Amino acid sequence: MNQRAVAAGLAAAPTPATITIILNGAAPQTITVPDDSVPLLYVLRNPQPFGLKGPKFGCGFGQCGACEVFLPDFGLAARSCQATIAKLFAFYAVFHVPVFVPLKVLSLEGLGTTANPHPLQSAFISQQAGQCAYCVNAMIMGAYGFLHARQTSGNLAIPTDAEVKDYYTNSTFTDPTVTPNKVTPTPYLCRCGAHLRFIKAVQTATPATLARFAKGMI
């Protein structure tokens, strides 16, 4: 918001923005929002055109992971409640991606299907990792980003209990669009007490997930 407008007690005029999104490999959809401060989460959950149910509004501050999605072009796991349209365009600039290139978004729904689930989804089901399941989007998409980063760094070992705990508890996001880079805590929160099952599910899914990454698959 314009600071002079704030000082005057007035609301600054909104800045409309148009962005094209490829969600889970589907056809591109061009969306215009009335204000570039609209979070990606709102766009994804809006019944038109996407209507997603996986990413959820949790804390609203990027501190729980319920809204997490993965942005393949940037290699980032993103808290979509904080990823405003303006922030996404800033990512485009930092990663030198032309603004006319559609934004690729991978959500929980895009990992797999009921008939052909992703290894992470299968592992979370087999380990009964979740109770109320509100946090499951956070835990699965967080695990996806965690294992993606391990693959990228060449670490193909099954993570230890301590490594998974540390990731879920002490994960951070370094914002490349801010100088100096702003580091924000991004823990993954669950109130139900299924934490030990989350760890086991991640470990169970690691070999098949890393094998998929090695083949260029989701």
Side-chain angles (χ1 to χ4, degrees), residues 78-100:
R79 302 290 163 98
S80 62
C81 74
Q82 297 297 296
T84 64
I85 303 304
K87 176 61 71 174
L88 291 170
F89 285 143
F91 285 157
Y92 271 77
V94 167
F95 288 96
H96 306 292
V97 177
V99 293
F100 57 80

Side-chain angles (χ1 to χ4, degrees), residues 183-200:
V183 180
T184 304
T186 54
Y188 296 85
L189 303 184
C190 167
R191 293 172 181 259
C192 293
H195 303 76
L196 295 180
R197 294 179 180 180
F198 295 146
I199 294 170
K200 185 63 175 177

